[in-house]
Amino acid sequence: PRDWTSFIIICLVILIGDTARGVMFPTLYPLNLTLHGSRITQGYSVASFSFGRVVMSPYLGRMSEVKGYRKTLKISLTMLIIGTLMYASSGTPMFVNFLMERLHKSAGLFLLISGQFVMGLGSGTLGVTRAYVAESTGREERTKWLSWLTAVQYTGFTVMPVVGAVICNG
């Protein structure tokens, strides 16, 4: 790539997006059970992340053309942080009990599923990051750098569930 710093930042954006899913994955089922969820809510929880990605990817792609890569990635990372905070809040007994008493007994599950969805919205950056790499590399090296970007993505999705499992057991 023409700018190594930007390429490393793009790799970090990809890694953060897939880390969000990977690290949370081992905590999802126990959290679902703690919130009195079922197999159905577990399925919704898992699917909501991917659904958020599917919904947001085209919008982030268009946004990157209109507002630029930097602003688009800042917005997506902000959504990812908000979703992570929602997810983490769903595992906070005092906060969840407060919501359940005042709103509904399923408020914690709603927070869990919607947090996963918002994290998915923030992680819908694959097209944007790949477009950046395609624009910033010469034609003869493009495949190599896109392959590295894909390897970073798979690393986040493969290694981070192990990290999440260690956190759960630690």
Side-chain angles (χ1 to χ4, degrees):
R2 293 181 197 123
D3 180 2
W4 276 96
T5 304
S6 294
F7 181 73
I8 290 169
I9 290 169
I10 291 294
C11 285
L12 288 174
V13 167
I14 290 291
L15 188 62
I16 290 167
D18 279 290
T19 294
R21 181 179 193 138
V23 167
M24 304 298 180
F25 215 69
T27 65
L28 197 56
Y29 184 67
L31 188 52
N32 180 48
L33 289 179
T34 301
L35 296 170
H36 308 290
S38 64
R39 290 180 184 159
I40 293 170
T41 56
Q42 176 70 14
Y44 290 153
S45 299
V46 171
S48 61
F49 182 93
S50 295
F51 184 65
R53 263 189 172 170
V54 168
V55 167
M56 198 60 165
S57 289
Y59 293 107
L60 290 175
R62 179 67 182 138
M63 184 186 300
S64 71
E65 291 174 348
V66 174
K67 298 186 184 260
Y69 294 116
R70 182 178 299 212
K71 185 162 186 130
T72 301
L73 294 175
K74 283 181 182 178
I75 290 169
S76 70
L77 288 174
T78 301
M79 285 188 287
L80 186 58
I81 290 167
I82 291 168
T84 302
L85 291 172
M86 291 169 70
Y87 182 88
S89 296
S90 71
T92 308
M94 192 168 87
F95 183 68
V96 171
N97 289 337
F98 174 81
L99 292 177
M100 289 169 70
E101 288 171 6
R102 287 176 178 64
L103 299 175
H104 191 274
K105 66 179 184 167
S106 298
L109 286 170
F110 177 77
L111 193 59
L112 171 73
I113 293 168
S114 57
Q116 284 285 102
F117 177 73
V118 174
M119 284 193 310
L121 292 175
S123 296
T125 57
L126 293 176
V128 174
T129 55
R130 288 179 179 153
Y132 173 81
V133 171
E135 282 184 20
S136 67
T137 56
R139 181 175 215 140
E140 57 285 338
E141 292 205 331
R142 190 168 296 147
T143 302
K144 175 175 77 172
W145 293 111
L146 285 170
S147 297
W148 275 107
L149 193 64
T150 302
V152 168
Q153 175 194 359
Y154 291 157
T155 298
F157 195 67
T158 304
V159 174
M160 290 305 144
V162 174
V163 172
V166 169
I167 291 170
C168 277
N169 291 325

